[in-house]
Amino acid sequence: MFRRLFAPTIEVSAHCDLPCGVYDPAQARIEAQSVLEICKKVEGNDDPDFRTRAIIIKEQRSELVKHHLWVLWTDYFKPPHFEKYPELHTLVNEATKLAGASGTKGALDAGKAQELLDKIDEIDRIFKETKQG
Amino acid sequence: MFRRLFAPTIEVSAHCDLPCGVYDPAQARIEAQSVLEICKKVEGNDDPDFRTRAIIIKEQRSELVKHHLWVLWTDYFKPPHFEKYPELHTLVNEATKLAGASGTKGALDAGKAQELLDKIDEIDRIFKETKQG
Amino acid sequence: MFRRLFAPTIEVSAHCDLPCGVYDPAQARIEAQSVLEICKKVEGNDDPDFRTRAIIIKEQRSELVKHHLWVLWTDYFKPPHFEKYPELHTLVNEATKLAGASGTKGALDAGKAQELLDKIDEIDRIFKETKQG
Amino acid sequence: MFRRLFAPTIEVSAHCDLPCGVYDPAQARIEAQSVLEICKKVEGNDDPDFRTRAIIIKEQRSELVKHHLWVLWTDYFKPPHFEKYPELHTLVNEATKLAGASGTKGALDAGKAQELLDKIDEIDRIFKETKQG
Amino acid sequence: MFRRLFAPTIEVSAHCDLPCGVYDPAQARIEAQSVLEICKKVEGNDDPDFRTRAIIIKEQRSELVKHHLWVLWTDYFKPPHFEKYPELHTLVNEATKLAGASGTKGALDAGKAQELLDKIDEIDRIFKETKQG
Amino acid sequence: MFRRLFAPTIEVSAHCDLPCGVYDPAQARIEAQSVLEICKKVEGNDDPDFRTRAIIIKEQRSELVKHHLWVLWTDYFKPPHFEKYPELHTLVNEATKLAGASGTKGALDAGKAQELLDKIDEIDRIFKETKQG
C-alpha cells in the first residue's frame, strides 16, 4: 500500500512556519510505522524492562505523529481545501485521536497502529490531490 | 486571593494524554497574552538586538499557543462537541493559523495578537459550555 | 471578555524572558492538578501498562511544575519581594522539591500531589499580593 | 533526482532506539529541503524581520538534519556497512558539518543547502543498497 | 582514570531526579563559558546575520545555565546547606537572574557573562565544600 | 579560579554551533556517570515503580550522551584530527552505540555503563591531545 501511495508521485513538500512551503505526510507516516513495529516487537518479547522501554518510545513517536498531522492541518491545508474536502477536519481529528490515549498511546496494539497508518494514508491521498490541483 | 478567584468556580481541566482529564484554555491564553505584550514592548523600543530577541521569543510563544489549542482540539473535544458546535473545527483551525506565519509568527503586530486572543476567547466560551453540559 | 469569563479581577501575567511581564502561577497549578488526577486514576486501575504510562506522564508534568515555579522565582520575584517575604525562598524551594524525587516524581501518591498544590497556593497568595502592591 | 531516488523502491524504515528498525533518510532530506526553500525565499524578500525569522528557523531545521543523520550513523549503520563503504564515516561527517556553522547554519546560501541535499542523496544511495543487500 | 585526566580533586556529581546523585556545577559553567565566547566573537564581527545567530544561541545557552543552576538549587542543596550558607538562596537567585533578561540574555556583553561565571564559581565553592563535609 | 578548582589542566572548551569554540567531553561523561549510578541504584531496589522511573531517566541520559558525543564528532573534530587518529570515527561510533539500544538504553547494566565511560575516556584523551597540539 505504502509503496503504491508514495512511489510514482512523491513530492517532498514544506513544513516550517516561515513558511518554507515544504510539507510531507511521510513525516507522520514514518513515526506511525515506528509505532507499528514497536507493537509487533513487544508481542514477541516478554522482558518487562523491554515493555517499559517500548511504552516510553511509543509515547514519544505517537506524539510526533500528532504533531506532524497538526502541522498539516493548520499550516498546509487552507480554506479552499476544507471546502473541497468537507471530511478533512474529521479525518485529521480522528487520526490525531488515534495517536492519543484512545489509540496508539493507550495500547500496545498493532491493530490500532495499522488503523492510524490507514488514516494517514487517507490524509495523504487528499494531500497529493491538492498538490496536483 | 487565589482561593477566592479560583476557588469556588475554578475548573482546572486536564491536558495530558493519560488522559488526566485536566484541560484549560488558560494555557493557550497566557502564551497569547505574552505575544501581545511582546508586540507592545517592541513598539516602544528601537534597539535592533531587542527586536531580534522579541522575534525569537514570539516565535516560541506562538508555537506554544498552537500546541495548547491542538491539544484541546484533539484530546478534549469529542465527536458530540463537534456535532453541537459545527463551527468548532474552523474556529480552532483559524486560531492556530492566527498563531502561525499568517498571524503572530509572521508579524510584530499587536492587532494580530489581539485577534488571536479573541479567537481563544471564543474557543474558551465553547469549552466552558461543554464543561457545564 | 476574558475578564468576564475568568472572574472580575484576573490578571494574566507575563512569563517569558524578554521579559514580556506576563507571569501566572496558574501554569504551575494546572500541571500539578494534572499530577493529582494521574495519581487518582492509577488508584483505580491495575493495568501495569497504564501504571507505566502514568509514571512517564507524571514525570513530565512534575518537571513542568518545577520549571514554572523556577521561572517565577528567578524572573518574576525581585529583591524587594524577598525582603518583604523572607519565607519566599524556602517556600519555592520546598515546592520544587515537592515536585521532585522526594515528592510527586518519586511517588504515585495523591497526598503528595495535594501538598504540592497547597504550596503552589501559598506562593500564589504572595504573588497576588505583590501584583497589587 | 529526488524522484528517481525515492520512487520505485521506497522502504519506510525504522529510527527509534528500541530499536523499531524503521530508518529513512527522507527525514533528513525533508528538513534539508526546507532549508533550501528558506534560502530561496529570503533572496526575494528584504524585510529584516523576515530575515531574522528565516535564520531562526534555518537554525532549527539544520539541527534536525544533523540529528537525523547522526541517528542513521549510530543506530542504522553497522560495522559491516562501514567495512563495505569505507567512505561512509567521512560522508556522514561531512554532511553533518554541512548542516552546521560552516554550512547551512552559518549562511543563508541556497548553494550550501543544495550541497547538503546532494550529500544526503549520497548517503541515501548507500542506505538503499544496504537495505537490499 | 577519570580522576587522573581531570585532576586530583574533581568529583563528578549527580543531577537527575531519580535521583542518581550526580551533580556538577561544571554543567552550568560550560554553558556560561559559551555565552562569554559568543559575546567576544560578536565584538569582532559586524555581519548582521552572524549577530542574529549569536543572539539566538546566547538565548539558548543562557537558558541552559538557568536550568542547571535551578537543578542544583532544588535537587542537590538540602535544608542543612541553606542553614550553613544563609547567602545561598540569594546567590543562586542572583546567578539565574544574571543569565536572564537583566543579564546575558538581555545583552551581548562579555562583562555580564564574566559576572555570571564569577557567580557560578561562588556557587561551585560552596558546592565543593558540601561535598567534602 | 576555575582552573584552580578543577585542577591544573582542565580547559573548558566550546560546543555551540556559532561556533563559540567551547567543547568539553565532560558533558557526555557527566550524563554517562549518571547512567552508571542509576544502574547501581536499581540493583539495590526492587520497587517496580522505581525501576520504571530508572528506565525513563536512563533513556534520557543515554540520549544526552549520544548527543554530546555527536557534537564533538561533527563540530569539534576536523579532517586533520581524523587523519591523525584513524580510529576516531570508529571510536565515537562505538561510544554512541554503547549509549543506545545495544548498550545503556537496552539494559540496566552497570557493566555496560562502565564500558561507555571507558570509551568516553578514550575520546577524551584524544580530545585533550588535540587541544594541546
Side-chain angles (χ1 to χ4, degrees):
Chain A
M1 170 77 84
F2 186 66
R3 296 176 67 98
R4 185 173 64 75
L5 283 175
F6 274 85
T9 61
I10 196 164
E11 286 275 350
V12 176
S13 27
H15 64 305
C16 81
D17 232 340
L18 189 57
C20 63
V22 177
Y23 298 92
D24 198 332
Q27 293 191 302
R29 203 177 202 290
I30 291 169
E31 305 301 343
Q33 189 76 27
S34 170
V35 170
L36 175 61
E37 298 304 321
I38 290 167
C39 294
K40 287 182 188 168
K41 281 213 163 183
V42 170
E43 281 169 27
N45 190 321
D46 58 5
D47 171 4
D49 290 353
F50 185 81
R51 191 174 187 96
T52 300
R53 290 192 65 231
I55 294 172
I56 293 169
I57 298 171
K58 183 173 60 73
E59 204 78 9
Q60 296 165 341
R61 296 297 149 181
S62 297
E63 186 64 26
L64 284 171
V65 172
K66 293 172 84 165
H67 178 76
H68 288 307
L69 293 176
W70 284 332
V71 166
L72 289 177
W73 183 65
T74 288
D75 299 339
Y76 174 72
F77 289 117
K78 298 287 182 304
H81 300 138
F82 294 119
E83 256 178 68
K84 189 167 173 195
Y85 302 94
E87 76 278 22
L88 189 51
H89 284 309
T90 302
L91 191 57
V92 181
N93 192 260
E94 286 173 355
T96 51
K97 279 180 164 66
L98 263 168
S102 59
T104 57
K105 279 194 186 173
L108 264 165
D109 176 344
K112 282 277 182 201
Q114 188 57 55
E115 269 183 69
L116 174 58
L117 279 163
D118 293 345
K119 282 276 182 207
I120 295 172
D121 282 352
E122 286 185 61
I123 295 167
D124 189 63
R125 259 194 296 277
I126 292 177
F127 174 81
K128 286 197 170 38
E129 286 183 23
T130 62
K131 295 293 283 186
Q132 294 170 337
Chain B
M1 172 72 85
F2 184 66
R3 297 181 68 95
R4 185 174 64 78
L5 281 176
F6 277 89
T9 61
I10 197 169
E11 284 278 348
V12 176
S13 26
H15 65 302
C16 81
D17 233 339
L18 188 59
C20 62
V22 178
Y23 298 93
D24 197 332
Q27 291 190 305
R29 201 179 203 289
I30 290 170
E31 304 301 343
Q33 190 77 27
S34 171
V35 170
L36 176 61
E37 296 305 320
I38 289 168
C39 293
K40 287 182 187 169
K41 281 214 163 181
V42 169
E43 280 169 29
N45 191 322
D46 57 4
D47 172 4
D49 289 353
F50 185 82
R51 192 175 187 97
T52 299
R53 291 192 66 232
I55 293 172
I56 294 168
I57 298 170
K58 181 172 62 71
E59 206 77 10
Q60 297 166 340
R61 296 297 148 180
S62 297
E63 187 64 27
L64 284 170
V65 171
K66 294 174 82 165
H67 178 76
H68 289 307
L69 293 177
W70 284 331
V71 167
L72 289 177
W73 182 65
T74 287
D75 298 339
Y76 174 72
F77 289 117
K78 299 286 183 304
H81 301 137
F82 293 119
E83 256 179 69
K84 188 168 173 193
Y85 301 94
E87 76 278 23
L88 189 52
H89 284 309
T90 303
L91 191 57
V92 180
N93 192 261
E94 285 174 355
T96 51
K97 279 181 164 65
L98 263 168
S102 60
T104 56
K105 278 194 185 172
L108 265 163
D109 177 344
K112 282 277 182 201
Q114 188 58 53
E115 269 183 68
L116 174 58
L117 281 163
D118 293 345
K119 282 277 182 206
I120 295 172
D121 282 352
E122 287 186 59
I123 295 166
D124 188 63
R125 258 193 302 278
I126 292 176
F127 173 82
K128 287 197 169 39
E129 286 183 23
T130 61
K131 297 291 281 186
Q132 295 170 336
Chain C
M1 174 75 76
F2 185 66
R3 299 175 67 96
R4 186 174 64 77
L5 286 173
F6 270 87
T9 59
I10 195 164
E11 286 278 348
V12 176
S13 29
H15 63 302
C16 82
D17 231 341
L18 188 57
C20 63
V22 178
Y23 298 93
D24 197 333
Q27 292 191 304
R29 203 178 203 287
I30 291 170
E31 305 300 343
Q33 189 77 26
S34 171
V35 170
L36 175 61
E37 297 303 322
I38 290 168
C39 294
K40 288 182 188 170
K41 281 215 162 181
V42 169
E43 281 169 27
N45 190 322
D46 57 5
D47 171 5
D49 290 353
F50 185 81
R51 191 175 186 94
T52 300
R53 292 191 65 231
I55 294 172
I56 294 168
I57 298 171
K58 181 172 62 71
E59 204 78 8
Q60 296 166 342
R61 297 296 148 180
S62 297
E63 186 64 27
L64 284 171
V65 171
K66 293 173 84 164
H67 178 75
H68 288 307
L69 293 177
W70 283 331
V71 167
L72 289 176
W73 182 64
T74 288
D75 300 338
Y76 174 72
F77 289 117
K78 299 287 182 303
H81 301 136
F82 293 118
E83 256 177 70
K84 189 168 173 193
Y85 302 93
E87 76 278 23
L88 189 51
H89 284 309
T90 303
L91 191 58
V92 180
N93 193 261
E94 287 173 353
T96 51
K97 279 180 164 66
L98 262 169
S102 60
T104 57
K105 279 195 186 173
L108 265 164
D109 175 345
K112 280 278 182 201
Q114 187 59 53
E115 269 184 68
L116 174 59
L117 280 163
D118 292 345
K119 281 278 182 205
I120 295 173
D121 282 352
E122 286 186 60
I123 294 167
D124 189 64
R125 260 193 297 275
I126 292 178
F127 173 81
K128 284 198 169 42
E129 287 182 21
T130 62
K131 295 292 281 187
Q132 293 170 335
Chain D
M1 169 77 79
F2 186 66
R3 297 177 67 100
R4 184 174 63 75
L5 283 175
F6 274 85
T9 61
I10 196 165
E11 287 274 352
V12 177
S13 26
H15 64 306
C16 81
D17 232 340
L18 188 57
C20 62
V22 178
Y23 299 92
D24 197 332
Q27 293 190 303
R29 203 179 202 287
I30 290 170
E31 305 300 343
Q33 189 77 26
S34 171
V35 170
L36 176 61
E37 297 304 321
I38 289 167
C39 294
K40 287 183 188 168
K41 280 213 163 183
V42 168
E43 280 169 28
N45 190 322
D46 58 4
D47 171 4
D49 289 354
F50 185 82
R51 191 176 188 94
T52 299
R53 292 192 64 232
I55 294 171
I56 294 168
I57 298 170
K58 182 172 60 73
E59 205 78 10
Q60 296 166 341
R61 297 297 148 180
S62 298
E63 186 64 28
L64 285 170
V65 172
K66 294 173 82 166
H67 178 76
H68 288 307
L69 294 176
W70 283 331
V71 167
L72 289 177
W73 182 66
T74 288
D75 299 339
Y76 174 72
F77 289 117
K78 299 284 183 304
H81 300 138
F82 293 119
E83 255 178 73
K84 188 168 174 194
Y85 301 94
E87 76 278 22
L88 190 51
H89 285 309
T90 303
L91 192 57
V92 180
N93 193 261
E94 286 174 354
T96 50
K97 279 180 163 67
L98 263 168
S102 60
T104 57
K105 278 195 185 173
L108 264 164
D109 176 343
K112 282 277 182 201
Q114 187 58 54
E115 269 183 69
L116 174 58
L117 280 163
D118 292 346
K119 283 276 182 206
I120 295 172
D121 282 351
E122 287 186 60
I123 295 167
D124 189 63
R125 258 192 300 275
I126 293 176
F127 174 82
K128 287 196 169 42
E129 286 182 23
T130 61
K131 295 293 281 186
Q132 293 170 338
Chain E
M1 173 73 79
F2 185 66
R3 297 178 68 97
R4 186 175 62 78
L5 283 175
F6 271 86
T9 61
I10 196 166
E11 285 278 349
V12 176
S13 25
H15 64 303
C16 81
D17 232 339
L18 188 57
C20 62
V22 178
Y23 299 91
D24 196 333
Q27 292 190 303
R29 205 183 200 283
I30 290 171
E31 305 300 343
Q33 189 76 26
S34 172
V35 170
L36 175 61
E37 296 305 321
I38 289 168
C39 293
K40 286 183 189 169
K41 280 215 163 182
V42 169
E43 279 169 28
N45 190 322
D46 57 4
D47 171 5
D49 289 353
F50 185 81
R51 193 175 186 96
T52 300
R53 291 192 65 231
I55 294 172
I56 293 168
I57 297 169
K58 182 172 59 73
E59 204 78 9
Q60 297 165 342
R61 296 298 147 179
S62 297
E63 186 64 26
L64 285 169
V65 171
K66 294 173 84 165
H67 178 75
H68 289 307
L69 294 177
W70 284 331
V71 166
L72 289 177
W73 183 65
T74 288
D75 299 338
Y76 173 72
F77 289 116
K78 299 285 181 303
H81 301 139
F82 293 119
E83 256 178 70
K84 188 169 174 195
Y85 301 94
E87 75 278 24
L88 189 51
H89 284 309
T90 302
L91 191 57
V92 181
N93 192 261
E94 285 173 355
T96 51
K97 279 179 164 68
L98 262 168
S102 60
T104 57
K105 279 195 185 172
L108 264 164
D109 176 345
K112 282 277 183 202
Q114 188 57 55
E115 270 183 68
L116 174 59
L117 280 162
D118 293 345
K119 282 276 182 207
I120 295 171
D121 282 351
E122 287 186 59
I123 295 167
D124 189 62
R125 256 192 302 277
I126 292 177
F127 174 82
K128 286 197 169 39
E129 287 183 22
T130 62
K131 297 290 282 187
Q132 294 170 337
Chain F
M1 175 70 78
F2 186 67
R3 298 178 66 98
R4 187 175 62 76
L5 283 173
F6 270 86
T9 61
I10 199 167
E11 284 280 348
V12 176
S13 27
H15 64 304
C16 80
D17 231 340
L18 189 56
C20 63
V22 178
Y23 299 92
D24 197 333
Q27 292 190 303
R29 207 183 198 288
I30 290 170
E31 305 300 344
Q33 189 76 26
S34 170
V35 170
L36 175 61
E37 297 305 321
I38 289 167
C39 294
K40 287 182 190 168
K41 282 214 163 182
V42 169
E43 279 169 28
N45 189 322
D46 57 4
D47 170 6
D49 291 352
F50 185 82
R51 192 173 185 96
T52 300
R53 290 191 66 231
I55 293 172
I56 294 169
I57 297 169
K58 182 173 60 74
E59 204 79 9
Q60 297 166 342
R61 297 296 149 182
S62 297
E63 186 64 27
L64 284 170
V65 171
K66 293 173 84 166
H67 178 75
H68 288 308
L69 293 177
W70 283 332
V71 167
L72 289 177
W73 182 64
T74 287
D75 299 339
Y76 174 73
F77 288 117
K78 297 289 183 300
H81 301 138
F82 294 119
E83 256 177 71
K84 189 169 173 193
Y85 302 93
E87 77 279 22
L88 189 51
H89 284 309
T90 303
L91 191 57
V92 181
N93 193 261
E94 286 173 353
T96 51
K97 279 180 164 67
L98 263 168
S102 59
T104 56
K105 279 194 185 174
L108 265 165
D109 176 344
K112 282 278 181 201
Q114 188 57 54
E115 271 183 67
L116 174 59
L117 279 163
D118 292 345
K119 282 277 182 207
I120 295 172
D121 281 351
E122 287 187 60
I123 295 167
D124 189 62
R125 258 193 300 276
I126 293 178
F127 174 82
K128 286 196 170 40
E129 286 183 22
T130 61
K131 296 292 283 187
Q132 293 169 338

